[in-house]
Amino acid sequence: MSAPAGRKRIHLAAHFPGVNSTTVWADPHSGSQIDFSSFEHLARTAERGLFDFFFLAEGLRLREHKGRIHDLDVVGRPESITVLTALAAVTERLGLAGTVNATFNEPYELARRLASLDHLSAGRAAWNVVTSSDAFTGENFRRGGFLDRADRYTRAAEFVATARELWDSWRPDGTPRPFAHHGPQFGIEGEFTVPRSPQGHPVVIQAGDSAEGREFAASTADVIFTRHSTLEAGREFYADVKGRLARYGREPGDLKIMPGVTYVLADTDAEARERAAEIRHQQVSPQNAILALEQIWGRDLSDHDPDGPLPDFDPDPEATVVQGRVRVADPVAVARKWRALSEAKGLSIRETVVESSGRQSFVGSPATVAAALEEFVAEDAADGFILVPHLTPGGLDDFVDRVVPLLQERGVFRTEYSGTTLREHLGLPAPVWKGGTP
Ligand SMILES: Cc1cc2nc3c(=O)[nH]c(=O)nc-3n(C[C@H](O)[C@H](O)[C@H](O)COP(=O)(O)O)c2cc1C
């Protein structure tokens, strides 16, 4: 079924709510972040909802806070492609997207794993290419943290191009041919072990917001995972990135923009707002409020009362208590903004953190949320959404049961899968085989 004239179809993906500050672990309905049954529950729910894909983030080192493992990371995190491969066996149509770092891996090995996943899932594999290379994370790897941002994207671009050469190295008739790639980043040759996979090229997703990141996405990616989740910021980002495509000979539809968004549903808008406030207070527990403050101030503030006032001094912009996490660009400015807010409204530390960070993107009755999602896409602020539930593993159930049918009624979401591969779900062009003359 196609969308009514002039109405854009919405793409939906499900982010597994793992070790991030959105997930409410204290909720009695919270399950394991590592048992296969959790991944399976969320993936099956997403497939029941006819979602385009299931998404896993990646963290390559346990983050630290004041020299101890960060509370959110004490539970650990399994490796993405392994989990996705297991999910391929319990789903049939759902795309399977994993975040894998281009700074610390090698093209031959990663291209092989992704092509294998594409075969085992019959064309549902996607790779979210990230580049994060803080030295702390890099200590886990031979390459260390030696790449600055521009070099990371240079390497990532050549990495993806090399992977695509490897994926193209088998002829479409199923016979292998040698490959050779000699560039500034990689010099490799030989034969690729995996035949051309069902999608030809697994879908490439990009997450990263700098000018270099946007340019990399415009030249290379099929999907962008972005944090721009308000209408205004979304429209600006959408116009900026889509505007970069023409210089690479690409059409606007060749790159889908999908912000990560959160949601809270209830029978009425008023109840949903009330629930949203409760969830914010669960996310920002008294202990988390102090952690958030320490991240900005870059020092121990455990002697502060979460229900009391903010520190009356500025952060030292050079100091940090966090390892493995991006530090805010201008902590002094953030601290002053938070203090001004707290003084103007008479807010405690905890209330200030609740007010200033991570408000839910879509709050309301299912009808309100469905209308807002449609508007967001119709207004060219996105092509779809990567939904980030706040509960593992049941946080998507409500959305699939109550919002998806309304989107279908509005004619902006599929009522069945029309294709079998992720490329088909996303409406992406099939890659042209660039293997050259056999
Ligand atoms: C929405 C979003 C999600 C990201 N998810 C991950 C992730 O799961 N793992 C990771 O190592 N980096 C992740 N990153 C970090 C990016 O790969 C990138 O390293 C970082 O944003 C810095 O690059 P930039 O300066 O271009 O933004 C994410 C970034 C964004 C914007």
Side-chain angles (χ1 to χ4, degrees), residues 147-292:
L147 291 178
D148 69 27
R149 179 188 285 146
D151 290 341
R152 277 190 271 134
Y153 280 114
T154 304
R155 181 181 161 95
E158 194 175 323
F159 195 125
V160 176
T162 308
R164 286 177 172 156
E165 287 167 27
L166 295 168
W167 292 330
D168 277 345
S169 70
W170 283 60
R171 295 183 190 91
D173 71 5
T175 51
R177 57 199 280 281
F179 72 87
H181 176 97
H182 292 287
Q185 301 289 326
F186 307 105
I188 55 174
E189 54 185 71
E191 265 146 18
F192 194 53
T193 57
V194 189
R196 189 169 176 82
S197 72
Q199 293 190 102
H201 298 171
V203 169
V204 167
I205 305 173
Q206 186 272 352
D209 199 24
S210 58
E212 291 91 337
R214 292 178 187 207
E215 209 56 38
F216 170 56
S219 68
T220 307
D222 301 307
V223 176
I224 298 188
F225 174 22
T226 164
R227 291 201 175 97
H228 296 287
S229 58
T230 62
L231 196 60
E232 204 175 310
R235 291 188 61 173
E236 214 172 287
F237 180 76
Y238 192 95
D240 177 284
V241 179
K242 297 263 179 174
R244 295 172 191 252
L245 291 170
R247 59 174 162 267
Y248 300 102
R250 305 183 71 201
E251 302 287 329
D254 294 351
L255 175 62
K256 308 294 181 202
I257 297 179
M258 300 181 68
V261 299
T262 51
Y263 54 89
V264 179
L265 298 170
D267 290 342
T268 66
D269 289 351
E271 278 174 62
R273 280 194 296 271
E274 227 169 87
R275 251 197 103 202
E278 281 164 26
I279 292 166
R280 287 297 297 136
H281 281 82
Q282 287 179 305
Q283 288 164 333
V284 184
S285 63
Q287 184 193 3
N288 286 347
I290 296 296
L291 285 180

Side-chain angles (χ1 to χ4, degrees), residues 38 112 125 132 172 221 232 266 368 390 401 430:
S38 285
R112 223 161 69 87
S132 43
E232 204 175 310
T368 300
H390 68 271
D401 292 335

Side-chain angles (χ1 to χ4, degrees), residues 15 55-60 77 99 101 128-133 149 152-153 206-214 225-227 260 326:
H15 187 295
F55 181 91
L56 282 175
E58 177 185 72
L60 291 172
R77 174 179 248 170
T99 301
N101 200 295
N128 178 34
V129 185
V130 294
T131 63
S132 43
S133 69
R149 179 188 285 146
R152 277 190 271 134
Y153 280 114
Q206 186 272 352
D209 199 24
S210 58
E212 291 91 337
R214 292 178 187 207
F225 174 22
T226 164
R227 291 201 175 97
V326 181

Side-chain angles (χ1 to χ4, degrees), residues 295-297 314-318 326-338:
Q295 269 171 38
I296 305 294
W297 263 259
D314 280 343
D316 170 355
E318 302 306 320
V326 181
R327 178 123 206 257
V328 289
D330 188 349
V332 176
V334 175
R336 288 186 182 161
K337 203 167 114 198
W338 284 17

Side-chain angles (χ1 to χ4, degrees), residues 4 41 108 119 135 173 184 191 247 321 342 361 381 384 425 435:
H41 181 103
Y108 188 89
H119 275 289
D173 71 5
E191 265 146 18
R247 59 174 162 267
V321 289
S342 142
S361 324
H425 303 340

